[in-house]
């Protein structure tokens, strides 16, 4: 018996000796983990998280309170009860997707406005670059870490709304409703990623964190408020007369819509409206021939995705463009602290 125990102990000892040593993490993922810890422990993230949770529960309470009133016999979206949790409102509070479109850019700006200039001012950037680490690892890791935090937050928030709705309503969502919510959450992450890249670009361009934050917020305010005012003035100036033909009116409306769609918030609004409201069959003006005889029925998920594909492509292109400019600017930047 003792000999068996000795043999077993020697066998375990040999297994430990022959077991390969744990491979160290790649420097890129080490930086990502460090950035995630910094984001989660920061006060600005906790404050924004509290605001987003507060508005989420407020919009959920409003939608649940008015859910019974919205059910009608001729409603083409009557079969999509769960989607009404994200879109229904009584006017006192905006719906859930409107809150995400408003507070999402602030979250992206808060996570990226001091990504580079704060480390350069404190002198840690030059010390990190003195290590055997590729220079692009740093900028890529900062974007990846912030994107992981945003993705976890939005998907957890969306699934929380689904869970609370399931408890309150008592009816599980259909497979199509669940996939529409998932695509909506992925679109929200993509939309916030654009503002994250823009704020990182300003953090590379400006040395002071306050300057980069104010620049990013100024761009957000311009696109959210002032751009709409400018487009409305332009639309009034070029409005066709009463004697205009139907083709001229449709051309005018398409021109105004295309001007509005230069803004990422308009692309996000069009895409989320189509995904969360299956009854939306068009995002542009329709002629009388197109409207006449149309049956008010919801679109399947595949058709809704085809309808918003230009908006998705525009958001992806804007996000990639901002990241490419940030990447090139950081690779050419002087990182020595003064």
């Amino acid at each position: 018996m003792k000999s068996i125990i000795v043999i077993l102990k020697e066998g375990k000892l040999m297994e430990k000796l022959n077991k390969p040593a744990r491979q160290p993490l790649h420097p890129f993922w080490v930086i990502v983990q460090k950035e995630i810890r910094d984001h989660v422990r920061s006060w600005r993230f906790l404050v924004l998280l509290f605001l987003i949770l507060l508005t989420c529960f407020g919009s959920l309470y409003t939608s649940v309170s008015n859910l019974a009133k919205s059910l009608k016999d001729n409603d083409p979206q009557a079969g999509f009860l769960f989607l009404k949790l994200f879109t229904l409102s009584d006017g006192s509070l905006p719906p859930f997707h409107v809150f995400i479109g408003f507070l999402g850019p602030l979250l992206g700006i808060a996570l990226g406005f001091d990504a580079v200039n704060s480390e350069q001012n404190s002198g840690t950037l030059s010390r990190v670059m003195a290590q055997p680490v590729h220079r692009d690892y740093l900028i890529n890791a900062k974007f990846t870490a912030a994107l992981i935090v945003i993705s976890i937050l939005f998907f957890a928030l969306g699934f929380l709304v689904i869970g609370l709705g399931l408890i309150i309503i008592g009816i599980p969502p259909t497979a199509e409703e669940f996939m529409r919510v998932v695509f909506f959450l992925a679109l929200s992450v993509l939309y916030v990623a654009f503002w994250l890249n823009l704020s990182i670009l300003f953090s590379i361009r400006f040395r002071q964190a306050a300057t980069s934050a104010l620049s990013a917020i100024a761009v957000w305010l311009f696109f959210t408020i002032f751009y709409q005012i400018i487009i409305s003035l332009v639309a009034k100036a070029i409005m066709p007369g009463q004697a205009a033909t139907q083709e001229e009116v449709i051309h005018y409306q398409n021109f105004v819509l295309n001007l509005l769609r230069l803004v990422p918030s308009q692309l996000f609004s069009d895409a989320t409206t189509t995904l969360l409201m299956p009854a939306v069959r068009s995002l542009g003006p329709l002629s009388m021939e197109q409207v006449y005889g149309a049956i008010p029925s919801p679109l399947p998920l595949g058709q809704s995705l085809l309808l918003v594909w230009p908006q998705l492509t525009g958001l992806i292109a804007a996000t990639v463009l901002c990241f490419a400019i940030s990447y090139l600017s950081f690779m050419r930047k002087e990182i020595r602290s003064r």
Side-chain angles (χ1 to χ4, degrees):
M1 187 68 180
K2 292 183 179 179
S3 60
I4 296 176
I5 295 175
V6 171
I7 292 173
L8 290 176
K9 288 183 179 180
E10 291 180 353
K12 291 181 180 180
L13 181 60
M14 292 301 296
E15 287 181 359
K16 291 181 180 180
L17 293 175
N18 295 329
K19 186 178 180 180
R22 184 179 179 183
Q23 295 293 332
L25 282 177
H26 194 274
F28 173 79
W29 293 111
V30 172
I31 302 175
V32 168
Q33 291 182 359
K34 178 259 182 187
E35 292 293 330
I36 291 177
R37 287 194 298 267
D38 291 343
H39 286 317
V40 174
R41 296 174 181 175
S42 62
W43 276 104
R44 61 187 174 207
F45 176 77
L46 297 178
V47 171
L48 284 173
L49 177 62
F50 173 76
L51 290 177
I52 292 175
L53 287 175
L54 183 64
T55 54
C56 167
F57 288 123
S59 61
L60 180 62
Y61 174 78
T62 303
S63 60
V64 170
S65 301
N66 297 273
L67 192 60
K69 300 178 182 179
S70 65
L71 297 178
K72 300 177 182 178
D73 295 335
N74 57 350
D75 188 6
Q77 297 185 173
F80 297 91
L81 189 63
F82 244 85
L83 296 181
K84 293 181 179 294
L85 297 177
F86 296 87
T87 59
L88 193 61
S89 176
D90 60 351
S92 60
L93 285 175
F96 180 81
H97 72 283
V98 175
F99 270 126
I100 293 298
F102 182 78
L103 295 178
L106 293 180
L107 178 62
I109 292 172
L111 294 181
F113 75 92
D114 61 345
V116 176
N117 49 22
S118 62
E119 292 199 14
Q120 186 175 10
N121 292 333
S122 61
T124 57
L125 185 60
S126 59
R127 288 198 291 268
V128 171
M129 291 293 97
Q131 306 300 319
V133 177
H134 293 289
R135 185 165 182 166
D136 57 344
Y137 283 176
L138 186 64
I139 186 67
N140 293 336
K142 286 182 176 295
F143 172 71
T144 303
L147 192 62
I148 290 174
V149 172
I150 294 170
S151 302
I152 294 175
L153 173 62
F154 277 10
F155 276 91
L157 194 60
F159 293 154
L160 177 63
V161 173
I162 293 177
L164 292 177
L166 181 60
I167 295 174
I168 297 172
I169 300 175
I171 302 175
T174 62
E176 183 173 351
E177 285 180 316
F178 180 76
M179 291 306 300
R180 285 181 179 272
V181 173
V182 170
F183 279 115
F184 160 69
L185 296 175
L187 178 64
S188 302
V189 172
L190 177 63
Y191 176 59
V192 177
F194 165 78
W195 294 102
L196 172 65
N197 281 324
L198 185 65
S199 60
I200 291 177
L201 175 61
F202 286 136
S203 73
I204 297 172
R205 176 63 180 82
F206 301 109
R207 189 172 182 85
Q208 299 299 324
T211 306
S212 61
L214 289 176
S215 300
I217 292 175
V219 173
W220 171 67
L221 287 176
F222 173 77
F223 283 146
T224 305
I225 300 175
F226 298 104
Y227 187 79
Q228 313 291 334
I229 299 175
I230 295 173
I231 295 301
S232 62
L233 294 176
V234 173
K236 289 181 180 179
I238 63 175
M239 181 181 298
Q242 297 180 355
T245 61
Q246 182 179 1
E247 289 76 12
E248 293 177 349
V249 174
I250 293 178
H251 177 73
Y252 161 77
Q253 293 176 348
N254 284 326
F255 177 73
V256 174
L257 283 175
N258 290 331
L259 290 180
L260 290 173
R261 287 168 182 165
L262 295 176
V263 182
S265 58
Q266 184 65 33
L267 298 177
F268 175 76
S269 177
D270 290 345
T272 53
T273 301
T274 306
L275 289 175
L276 297 178
M277 298 180 181
V280 176
R281 304 177 64 89
S282 176
L283 294 175
L286 298 174
S287 62
M288 293 299 297
E289 291 80 5
Q290 293 172 326
V291 175
Y292 181 75
I295 300 175
S297 60
L299 288 177
L301 178 59
Q303 296 297 321
S304 296
L305 290 175
L306 288 177
L307 187 60
V308 301
W309 185 249
Q311 283 76 12
L312 293 176
T313 306
L315 281 176
I316 293 173
T319 304
V320 172
L321 179 62
C322 280
F323 179 77
I325 297 174
S326 302
Y327 182 88
L328 293 176
S329 300
F330 181 75
M331 296 300 289
R332 298 177 179 180
K333 183 179 178 62
E334 175 61 48
I335 60 175
R336 291 179 296 179
S337 58
R338 297 176 183 176

